[in-house]
Amino acid sequence: VIQFRFLGGATILSIATAVGNSWVRHVVSDLLTTEELQGIFRSAATIGDLAAETEYVVRGHFVQSFNLQMRILLGVAVAAVFSSLLMWQKPQVKVP
Amino acid sequence: LIDVTSLTLFPSNTFLTGAVSVTCIVLIPLRYQTAAGLSPLQAGARLILFSVASPIGAILAAAACKKNRVAPLYLMLFGEILQIIGLVLATTLTSTNDRDWPGLYGLQVCIGFGMGLVVGTATLLTPAVVERKDLGKFDCLDFMTCGAVLTYQQRRGRPL
C-alpha cells in the first residue's frame, strides 16, 4: 500500500514536469538561442548568465509555469477528496 | 468485518495523496532555483519548513486517532481541504512579478501540515482495510520489488 504513494508521486510528478517544461520551452523559445535554451533545462544556474532583462522575463515565465503545475496538483487534490469520500461508511473505519 | 469498497478504494486514495506530496517536494525547491535564482542548497534549506510541518501533522493525526476519539476519515478530509486551500492560494496569489514570494512559506506549512494529516491517517488505516493474514504478503511483495529493482540496477553496472 505504501508503494502506491510513490507510484502516484512518480506518475503525477512526470505529468506536471512535462507540462510545465514544455510550456516554458514554448514561451521562451522566441527570446533565447537554442544553446541557451538547452542550458536552462540542463541547469537552472545558467539562467543567471543571461542578459539582465532576458533573465527577468525568463524567471517570470518560470513562476507562471510553477503556477500551472500547482493547478494540475490542485486537480489531483480535489480528486483525492472524492476518493476519500467514497470510503465513507456508516460506522466509520476505526484504527484497530 | 471489512468493507469491500474501502479495501478497493484505499490504494487509489494513497495514490492521489502521494502524488501531491512527492510533486510538492520536488517542485517547490525547483521554483526557488528557477524563479528566485537560489543555489540548490539554499532551495533545499527553504524546503525545511515543509518537511517539518508534515511530521507534525502525522503526529497530531496519530494522537487524535488514538482511542477512537476522532474517525480517521474526518482527519483525512480535513488534511485534504488544507492542501486544496494551500494550492488554490499558490495559484491565484502569485503573479509574474513575485519571483521570490515570501507567502510561499505560509503555503508550505499549510500544504505540508495537510499532507502530514493525510499520510499519517493513511498509514494508520492500513491495518484496518487489509486483513491481518494478508499483512505479511504486502511486506513480502515490497521486499520482492526492492530486490528485483536492486538486482536489475546491479546487472546494468550502475551503483545506486
Side-chain angles (χ1 to χ4, degrees), chain A residues 20-21 23-32 40 47 53-69, chain B residues 34-35 95-97 99:
Chain A
N21 278 1
W23 187 85
V24 166
R25 195 183 288 269
H26 174 71
V27 173
V28 162
S29 56
D30 304 335
L31 297 165
L32 304 173
I40 279 181
I47 302 176
E53 252 177 50
T54 335
E55 183 190 338
Y56 191 72
V57 178
V58 168
R59 289 201 193 288
H61 286 315
F62 268 109
V63 173
Q64 283 187 329
S65 106
F66 177 78
N67 283 359
L68 186 67
Q69 290 168 331
Chain B
T34 53
S95 65
T96 324
N97 298 318
R99 282 159 184 78

Side-chain angles (χ1 to χ4, degrees), chain A residues 9-96:
Chain A
T11 317
I12 305 297
L13 176 62
S14 51
I15 293 173
T17 336
V19 170
N21 278 1
S22 49
W23 187 85
V24 166
R25 195 183 288 269
H26 174 71
V27 173
V28 162
S29 56
D30 304 335
L31 297 165
L32 304 173
T33 63
T34 323
E35 283 169 17
E36 285 172 335
L37 202 62
Q38 281 177 344
I40 279 181
F41 286 105
R42 201 174 301 129
S43 162
T46 53
I47 302 176
D49 303 335
L50 301 172
E53 252 177 50
T54 335
E55 183 190 338
Y56 191 72
V57 178
V58 168
R59 289 201 193 288
H61 286 315
F62 268 109
V63 173
Q64 283 187 329
S65 106
F66 177 78
N67 283 359
L68 186 67
Q69 290 168 331
M70 285 296 119
R71 222 162 282 154
I72 295 170
L73 269 194
L74 182 61
V76 176
V78 172
V81 169
F82 286 113
S83 159
S84 297
L85 279 176
L86 287 172
M87 280 176 71
W88 195 281
Q89 30 187 280
K90 207 51 211 168
Q92 294 290 356
V93 183
K94 283 176 180 154
V95 176

Side-chain angles (χ1 to χ4, degrees), chain B residues 16 18 20 22 30 36 45 52 57-59 64 66 73 75 77-78 84 90 92 113-114 126 130 135 147 150-151:
Chain B
L16 292 169
V20 177
V22 175
L30 208 62
V52 165
I59 291 167
K66 211 163 72 178
L73 192 62
L75 281 175
L77 287 171
F78 179 64
I84 289 177
T92 51
F113 186 71
T126 312
V130 181
L135 272 175
L150 273 172
T151 332

Side-chain angles (χ1 to χ4, degrees), chain B:
Chain B
L1 279 168
I2 291 132
D3 199 313
V4 183
T5 50
S6 58
L7 186 63
T8 46
L9 287 168
F10 190 63
S12 77
N13 207 355
T14 20
F15 182 92
L16 292 169
T17 51
V20 177
S21 63
V22 175
T23 315
C24 275
I25 289 169
V26 175
L27 289 183
I28 288 176
L30 208 62
R31 182 198 198 274
Y32 281 125
Q33 281 183 56
T34 53
L38 298 174
S39 74
L41 185 66
Q42 286 171 314
R46 291 191 179 195
L47 191 75
I48 289 177
L49 214 56
F50 185 87
S51 39
V52 165
S54 58
I56 292 176
I59 291 167
L60 286 181
C65 282
K66 211 163 72 178
K67 295 174 191 164
N68 290 329
R69 270 183 288 194
V70 189
L73 192 62
Y74 298 152
L75 281 175
M76 203 182 240
L77 287 171
F78 179 64
E80 275 160 0
I81 288 165
L82 272 183
Q83 282 182 346
I84 289 177
I85 291 171
L87 288 169
V88 165
L89 291 178
T91 48
T92 51
L93 289 184
T94 47
S95 65
T96 324
N97 298 318
D98 300 315
R99 282 159 184 78
D100 196 358
W101 186 51
L104 198 59
Y105 295 121
L107 298 182
Q108 274 187 43
V109 173
C110 189
I111 301 173
F113 186 71
M115 188 197 102
L117 284 179
V118 177
V119 169
T121 43
T123 316
L124 285 170
L125 274 178
T126 312
V129 293
V130 181
E131 279 191 73
R132 187 159 289 279
K133 64 178 166 62
D134 290 332
L135 272 175
K137 286 180 198 161
F138 273 100
D139 282 348
C140 184
L141 212 67
D142 284 359
F143 275 119
M144 276 162 63
T145 326
C146 292
V149 171
L150 273 172
T151 332
Y152 180 68
Q153 294 282 359
Q154 281 166 353
R155 280 224 182 130
R156 292 177 69 189
R158 184 188 293 174
L160 279 173

